[in-house]
Amino acid sequence: MKKNSRRIALLVTLTLLLVAVFFLYDLTGNREYVLERRAYKVAALLLVAGSIGYSSLVFQTLTGNRILTPAIMGFEAVYLLFQTVIVFIYGDKTFRVLTESANFGWSVLMMLGFAVLIYLFVFRREKNNMYFLLLTGLILGTLFTTLSSFVQMLLDPNEFSLAEARIFASFNRMNTALLGYAAGAGALMLILAWHYHKYLDVLALGREQAINLGVNYKGVTLVFLFIISVLVSVSTALVGPITFFGILVTNLTYELFKTHRHSVLLPACALISSITLVAGQFLVEHLFNMTTTISILINFIGGVYFLYILLKAKKL
Amino acid sequence: MIEVKDISRSYGEKIILDEVSVSLPKGKVTSLIGSNGAGKSTLLSIISRLLKQNGGTVLLDSRDIDDYKTRILAQHLSILKQANPLDLKLTVRELVSFGRFPYSQGRLTPVDEEHVDRAIRYLNLQDIAGQYMDELSGGQKQRAFLAMVVAQDTDYILLDEPLNNLDMKHAVQIMKTLRKLCDEKGKTIVMVIHDINFASQYSDFIVALKDSRVAFFDTAERVIVPEVLQKVFDMEFKIVETEGKKICNYY
């Protein structure tokens, strides 16, 4: 118990320290302008880190599997397809036809609509089986990814570079209005989740134990799936897809905190996510001089770590 | 009393339970026996609301289980299934504490703590209460899960093959504990069990399922006779009596 709170305190300190470095490192030129831009960037990083960390951890608890992220449900595939198709339709006029805000709004709507459709499909048919849900998401996700690759081949190189800018995650095209919406959505979800957090520890014991202990399993699962969908959709629409990030941070959390309590795991995971993202973005900007993107960096590190988990684990 | 009325359940075309009705007496140990696929586990899952029936009702103390709030039902009836895979970092004491969730929703009161302590002592787990679940042997794990059910303190306790994968010594330990729960605390125990001799030694009543229906339901004494068992299992049985206890020889 004590050890855990000490570790949380350590993580908080580390996060604050990193944020400070991010703000103050190499502060040249118009200070006010640079600081303002960095403030938005840090806000976005923390928001996305919190959303992805939270939703990945809860998703792994619901599925009872530690190498899954909500990405398996196909959210990112829907986003990719949407971005590719609008560029295909409008070509280089895309961003005159569709403003940043409209694009953000439509992307979130598409992803949420997709999620609600497959929940309805799976839960209405009395299958109400988590793995059936995942499989449906996985198959549709693969279909959408393949479709977007196909459409990308039809684009001419100029248009393709427009689409490419959206396909890779980036914190550099930050739009303050969007950040406000995203923060609002995140706060709303946190309020909604508050009452349900006590069930998470029990859900981790599996469906049968949860029902035995008097949890309305189906209802609570649906609430959490909805919260996860909103958080993932919003952060994907905000910065683009970061697939491996969820696996990386949740497993680091389990490694550092030997507990089953979500009251410890959730804040810990949000902090570890924040540290990882802020540090990653810092490296991209100052060490790699923007020659790479944060999604490449994270997928590289995350991918290597993922292989390590797979090789290390005897049983998943 | 648990009253099962006209329960039917099928998977696709296959009928597992066909209008099964049976009344399980309160304060007794009742075993469900039958060959594989006879519908024992399915019946137990329906009684404990883990599985929905296609037709029929289950009454607990004369009230339909669907009319109970699930949290309230969890204070009257508990279920322990056979497979409990857990790779959580969870100590024995933490697991047992989950038994109090239906009462305190995760915030343990001093009364809850007392229940947890008593359950741990009841199953003789004091020495390993601080150990993580993944460091325990099969027998210790099963005892820890049973302690959780004891802490849940329900009148009705359902168990699906509680002796699965246990050696003889631990199997006897578990059965003795269940018998004690019934005799000392007046709990109603209903379990699915494969070993006919364990059923014979430790239960008051036996329900024998065959071909999706209840074939026999009577006191253990009257079910453990060659004619009945031969009909239920379609094989030869020989029953020997030693020290007033019946032992089935079917090997």
Side-chain angles (χ1 to χ4, degrees):
Chain A
M1 238 345 47
K2 230 179 188 170
K3 205 159 112 196
N4 284 339
S5 28
R6 209 167 339 122
R7 284 193 179 166
I8 293 262
L10 198 71
L11 286 180
V12 171
T13 322
L14 201 58
T15 313
L16 291 177
L17 219 65
L18 264 173
V19 168
V21 171
F22 194 87
F23 264 108
L24 301 175
Y25 183 82
D26 194 20
L27 199 57
T28 48
N30 185 341
R31 279 189 183 200
E32 223 162 280
Y33 174 75
V34 173
L35 278 179
E36 194 188 325
R37 273 197 55 91
R38 285 185 183 177
Y40 284 127
K41 217 181 266 183
V42 165
L45 286 164
L46 295 182
L47 186 68
V48 169
S51 301
I52 302 277
Y54 177 92
S55 48
S56 302
L57 196 93
V58 174
F59 192 73
Q60 294 187 350
T61 295
L62 294 183
T63 53
N65 189 317
R66 291 186 167 181
I67 53 165
L68 291 181
T69 69
I72 198 175
M73 303 271 301
F75 293 109
E76 296 177 350
V78 173
Y79 174 80
L80 290 184
L81 183 62
F82 180 64
Q83 296 305 323
T84 316
V85 167
I86 54 170
V87 173
F88 180 69
I89 295 174
Y90 296 115
D92 52 7
K93 292 195 286 294
T94 306
F95 299 108
R96 262 176 288 154
V97 182
L98 203 65
T99 63
E100 286 262 343
S101 305
N103 188 355
F104 175 81
W106 280 111
S107 303
V108 171
L109 270 182
M110 289 279 169
M111 284 183 267
L112 272 184
F114 168 74
V116 169
L117 273 182
I118 58 173
Y119 296 159
L120 282 181
F121 172 68
V122 172
F123 283 97
R124 210 197 45 185
R125 300 184 65 206
E126 168 65 40
K127 288 265 185 218
N128 96 52
N129 177 331
M130 207 64 195
Y131 281 97
F132 189 68
L133 180 71
L134 297 186
L135 202 60
T136 313
L138 184 66
I139 290 169
L140 289 176
T142 315
L143 174 70
F144 293 151
T145 313
T146 322
L147 275 178
S148 4
S149 310
F150 174 67
V151 176
Q152 279 163 21
M153 291 223 276
L154 301 179
L155 296 176
D156 77 45
N158 284 326
E159 290 171 347
F160 180 70
S161 67
L162 274 178
E164 200 186 20
R166 300 262 148 195
I167 290 168
F168 289 108
S170 159
F171 287 87
N172 295 319
R173 50 178 158 85
M174 227 353 106
N175 178 316
T176 48
L178 300 188
L179 194 58
Y181 297 142
L188 218 61
M189 286 307 111
L190 211 58
I191 294 169
L192 175 61
W194 206 251
H195 172 68
Y196 291 93
H197 276 155
K198 62 182 180 205
Y199 295 123
L200 282 173
D201 290 348
V202 183
L203 287 176
L205 297 178
R207 173 178 177 271
E208 284 163 354
Q209 282 298 353
I211 294 178
N212 172 41
L213 293 172
V215 175
N216 172 3
Y217 181 79
K218 198 170 162 185
V220 174
T221 311
L222 271 175
V223 168
F224 276 115
L225 281 176
F226 177 73
I227 293 169
I228 290 171
S229 311
V230 172
L231 291 178
V232 173
S233 306
V234 166
S235 58
T236 306
L238 196 63
V239 299
I242 13 184
T243 316
F244 274 113
F245 186 60
I247 297 176
L248 177 70
V249 292
T250 48
N251 282 286
L252 279 176
T253 310
Y254 304 134
E255 200 83 36
L256 288 173
F257 293 85
K258 303 276 184 217
T259 175
H260 69 287
R261 282 175 208 279
H262 285 77
S263 55
V264 177
L265 290 175
L266 284 174
C269 188
L271 286 168
I272 290 175
S273 307
S274 304
I275 292 168
T276 318
L277 263 197
V278 174
Q281 182 68 16
F282 183 80
L283 288 181
V284 167
E285 288 185 12
H286 299 290
L287 186 70
F288 297 105
N289 291 317
M290 298 297 214
T291 51
T292 183
T293 69
I294 187 147
S295 59
I296 291 176
L297 193 68
I298 282 180
N299 281 347
F300 176 68
I301 299 172
V304 172
Y305 185 66
F306 181 63
L307 286 177
Y308 165 74
I309 302 173
L310 279 185
L311 290 175
K312 191 190 70 166
K314 280 170 284 184
K315 185 181 100 188
L316 288 171
Chain B
M1 192 157 72
I2 298 175
E3 290 164 88
V4 175
K5 286 193 171 161
D6 304 324
I7 289 288
S8 298
R9 170 78 207 195
S10 45
Y11 290 108
E13 295 286 289
K14 191 168 163 46
I15 294 169
I16 306 290
L17 294 172
D18 187 11
E19 303 199 342
V20 167
S21 298
V22 65
S23 294
L24 307 170
K26 198 165 184 168
K28 302 285 178 199
V29 176
T30 306
S31 295
L32 300 176
I33 62 167
S35 11
N36 289 329
K40 305 175 303 271
S41 293
T42 306
L43 184 59
L44 205 69
S45 294
I46 289 174
I47 295 174
S48 56
R49 73 185 171 321
L50 292 181
L51 195 69
K52 270 251 152 291
Q53 66 271 37
N54 298 127
T57 47
V58 178
L59 304 182
L60 186 79
D61 294 332
S62 320
R63 196 170 149 204
D64 193 331
I65 56 164
D66 289 338
D67 294 341
Y68 283 89
K69 266 191 158 176
T70 180
R71 182 182 158 192
I72 303 298
L73 191 58
Q75 299 174 5
H76 293 288
L77 178 147
S78 53
I79 167 89
L80 189 56
K81 294 278 283 184
Q82 41 186 335
N84 287 299
L86 264 185
D87 50 359
L88 301 168
K89 271 291 163 194
L90 202 61
T91 64
V92 171
R93 199 190 155 79
E94 283 172 330
L95 180 81
V96 177
S97 305
F98 273 117
R100 301 307 295 170
F101 192 81
Y103 302 90
S104 57
Q105 302 283 288
R107 289 176 187 276
L108 293 185
T109 63
V111 177
D112 292 322
E113 299 280 2
E114 219 169 279
H115 273 278
V116 172
D117 284 334
R118 242 181 289 151
I120 287 175
R121 278 200 304 273
Y122 205 81
L123 272 298
N124 261 324
L125 293 165
Q126 297 94 316
D127 296 341
I128 53 168
Q131 278 188 41
Y132 283 111
M133 286 296 288
D134 53 5
E135 297 162 355
L136 303 183
S137 71
Q140 291 172 321
K141 259 185 209 162
Q142 189 67 328
R143 263 160 62 211
F145 274 105
L146 205 52
M148 178 183 130
V149 170
V150 170
Q152 202 176 333
D153 196 24
T154 55
D155 291 337
Y156 296 90
I157 300 174
L158 313 184
L159 305 113
D160 194 354
E161 295 183 35
L163 307 182
N164 216 15
N165 295 327
L166 296 187
D167 60 34
M168 282 169 291
K169 182 183 157 203
H170 290 106
V172 168
Q173 249 178 24
I174 295 282
M175 289 308 281
K176 282 196 168 148
T177 309
L178 292 176
R179 193 65 247 182
K180 217 167 76 172
L181 277 170
C182 175
D183 295 340
E184 291 176 4
K185 301 195 171 203
K187 306 285 184 197
T188 308
I189 313 269
V190 180
M191 60 187 158
V192 168
I193 198 157
H194 270 296
D195 190 319
I196 193 87
N197 283 322
F198 272 116
S200 149
Q201 304 292 315
Y202 290 98
S203 21
D204 301 310
F205 290 90
I206 292 183
V207 180
L209 288 170
K210 195 188 178 191
D211 298 335
S212 318
R213 291 173 174 278
V214 175
F216 295 94
F217 169 50
D218 216 322
T219 57
E221 181 77 3
R222 278 192 244 162
V223 174
I224 305 297
V225 289
E227 301 82 61
V228 171
L229 292 177
Q230 264 156 30
K231 267 188 205 140
V232 173
F233 290 100
D234 290 323
M235 61 186 274
E236 290 288 315
F237 272 91
K238 221 167 147 183
I239 291 175
V240 278
E241 227 168 293
T242 46
E243 297 167 23
K245 295 270 185 192
K246 290 177 165 181
I247 307 284
C248 309
N249 187 350
Y250 49 88
Y251 309 102

